[in-house]
Amino acid sequence: MTNHNENLKMIEQSAKDFAETYIRPHVMEWDESQFFPVETMHNLGKHGFLGVLVPEQYGGSGLGYQEYITIIGEIAKVCGSVGLSVAAHNSLCTGHIMAFGNEEQKKKYLPLLASGEWIGAWGLTEPNTGSDAGRMQCVAKKEGEYYIINGTKSWITHGISGNVAVVIVRTGELLDSHGMSAFIVERGTPGFSGGKKENKLGMRASETAELIFDNCKIHQSQLLGKEGDGFVQAMKILDGGRISIAALALGIAKGAYEASVKYAKERNQFGKPISSFQGISFKLADMATKIEAAELLTRQAGDLKNQGKKMTKEGAMAKYYASEISVEVSTDAVQIFGGYGYTKDFPVEKFYRDSKLCTIGEGTSEIQKLVISREVLKD
């Protein structure tokens, strides 16, 4: 156990060092201009942060979920946008190929993704179907050895800059949970392009854009698993993906909290530091407690995932709770900073903006409650 803890400490330090060196100096500039730092992504890959869970035989770091939670958290403490991109690349695109790809697909794509040479995207959501994925309009029609894909995916992380995307499209009837299939589509495939880039409230340095399919011809060898397995695969991928969003939310909350503690000790009013006022110190106590609880839920889900146990309920609880407290903690942080908290010269307004996405992406808080309630009512 000690060994594992020491290892975790080393990984935490290396993620922290990376964030301080390569991310912190650019945070506001990237945020203001909505610049997606592709070079930094490649660099994250070189440091082993883009194939965290990928076995070493495929060029990955071969680590588990505790290390993964730690890495995302350390990056998100400095920049939520980069944290989000790391989470989406690892859990969704890379994770899907790792979980459901055949040996040939894994050998081809995992080393490219784990090394950061290629950036990955994952597409489930469409303009008219978010939570209601069963009604998707993006369709693949079989023609001989090929599938012809038509339609649009929206809100896709790395929709323009991703080198490869895993997309879930309809191959069967509407509302049939076995009517959808997952395909690996490479950038440069005729008929496949990136579309409109979203102008967002927060997470502005993480690219969110459309994927457009216009008679895009994909060979059947690009199918992940069997035809009709796509939706079921996607739900399993989101199960684990929720841990990464919980870790992201947790990192944002910690960043906001740490900035608040530091500020409360330095800022003087009425002749003493504002941390000596109960109004402030009690806020900090609440923030610290919420963070601790969110971390325990997230670590628990990670532990179950590492053991290969079912963690649908625990993953949803971690994602739901961590994302909601991330918004609460960063809101309190802005309040503690007062007028300064509302300006871009101080870090907390960005944590405040970034935190909100965590309650929406990879299943809204309402969807998490649906998942949790189904699980608790099963018993």
Side-chain angles (χ1 to χ4, degrees):
M1 191 66 199
T2 336
N3 235 357
H4 180 248
N5 283 348
E6 276 170 24
N7 205 13
L8 204 54
K9 276 270 171 284
M10 267 169 51
I11 285 159
E12 182 178 327
Q13 194 57 52
S14 89
K16 189 184 258 135
D17 291 345
F18 184 96
E20 288 301 333
T21 310
Y22 300 106
I23 301 170
R24 191 177 299 278
H26 311 287
V27 170
M28 287 317 288
E29 166 203 337
W30 291 347
D31 181 73
E32 300 266 276
S33 62
Q34 298 206 73
F35 175 77
F36 174 55
V38 173
E39 280 313 307
T40 306
M41 287 296 284
H42 294 321
N43 199 4
L44 279 156
K46 287 186 189 123
H47 283 76
F49 299 134
L50 293 186
V52 181
L53 304 162
V54 175
E56 289 175 24
Q57 70 192 87
Y58 301 113
S61 301
L63 300 170
Y65 271 81
Q66 299 304 348
E67 291 84 356
Y68 184 39
I69 290 165
T70 298
I71 288 165
I72 290 179
E74 285 303 321
I75 292 169
K77 266 193 209 176
V78 174
C79 179
S81 296
V82 180
L84 173 64
S85 279
V86 170
H89 175 97
N90 274 287
S91 282
L92 301 180
C93 182
T94 310
H96 200 138
I97 294 171
M98 191 165 80
F100 299 107
N102 58 36
E103 200 48 43
E104 207 174 319
Q105 290 166 336
K106 287 198 244 188
K107 276 196 179 119
K108 180 174 181 186
Y109 294 106
L110 292 179
L112 289 166
L113 289 161
S115 67
E117 194 180 324
W118 278 22
I119 295 169
W122 190 80
L124 178 66
T125 307
E126 296 182 5
N128 297 311
T129 59
S131 305
D132 180 15
R135 291 179 203 270
M136 62 170 58
Q137 300 298 318
C138 199
V139 177
K141 292 256 185 290
K142 187 115 203 264
E143 286 185 11
E145 287 182 22
Y146 291 87
Y147 286 87
I148 311 296
I149 306 178
N150 279 293
T152 304
K153 293 286 173 188
S154 58
W155 307 108
I156 309 306
T157 304
H158 312 146
I160 294 166
S161 300
N163 304 85
V164 62
V166 170
V167 291
I168 295 89
V169 297
R170 201 150 58 75
T171 45
E173 293 308 305
L174 263 183
L175 298 179
D176 175 5
S177 64
H178 294 284
M180 290 164 264
S181 306
F183 294 91
I184 304 172
V185 189
E186 291 182 27
R187 185 70 59 196
T189 305
F192 174 49
S193 59
K196 171 177 169 268
K197 179 173 165 172
E198 302 298 340
N199 183 4
K200 309 193 300 285
L201 168 73
M203 301 290 196
R204 287 167 62 81
S206 180
E207 179 184 274
T208 306
E210 294 176 319
L211 296 176
I212 298 168
F213 298 92
D214 180 12
N215 288 324
C216 178
K217 194 174 174 185
I218 299 293
H219 192 261
Q220 61 191 17
S221 61
Q222 297 300 97
L223 178 69
L224 276 161
K226 292 199 289 289
E227 185 176 303
D229 284 354
F231 184 70
V232 178
Q233 289 175 6
M235 292 305 106
K236 287 197 177 127
I237 293 304
L238 287 172
D239 245 9
R242 285 178 188 139
I243 295 176
S244 74
I245 300 299
L248 178 64
L250 188 59
I252 291 168
K254 283 181 180 175
Y257 166 73
E258 287 170 14
S260 301
V261 171
K262 187 170 175 292
Y263 184 77
K265 287 176 174 170
E266 290 167 0
R267 168 79 165 163
N268 283 304
Q269 290 290 285
F270 307 101
K272 49 188 174 181
I274 63 169
S275 58
S276 63
F277 298 109
Q278 206 176 64
I280 301 292
S281 62
F282 276 21
K283 255 191 180 45
L284 293 169
D286 279 337
M287 292 157 91
T289 306
K290 287 170 181 172
I291 286 170
E292 198 75 14
E295 175 135 28
L296 286 167
L297 279 171
T298 307
R299 297 273 176 201
Q300 170 185 248
D303 187 46
L304 290 169
K305 190 82 176 122
N306 277 343
Q307 295 178 54
K309 292 183 178 164
K310 185 173 191 293
M311 40 63 69
T312 303
K313 180 184 80 179
E314 291 79 2
M317 283 178 166
K319 196 277 192 193
Y320 167 50
Y321 186 74
S323 66
E324 291 292 340
I325 71 105
S326 188
V327 173
E328 290 166 18
V329 168
S330 53
T331 303
D332 281 343
V334 172
Q335 200 67 20
I336 288 169
F337 273 75
Y340 291 115
Y342 206 67
T343 70
K344 294 191 182 286
D345 299 332
F346 288 81
V348 290
E349 66 85 34
K350 184 174 181 294
F351 289 124
Y352 178 71
R353 288 183 291 111
D354 287 350
S355 66
K356 189 59 198 162
L357 180 81
C358 300
T359 69
I360 298 169
E362 285 191 42
T364 59
S365 289
E366 291 70 26
I367 288 290
Q368 305 311 319
K369 289 192 218 185
L370 196 72
V371 171
I372 296 162
S373 58
R374 268 184 199 153
E375 292 296 317
V376 296
L377 293 169
K378 258 185 206 167
D379 302 344

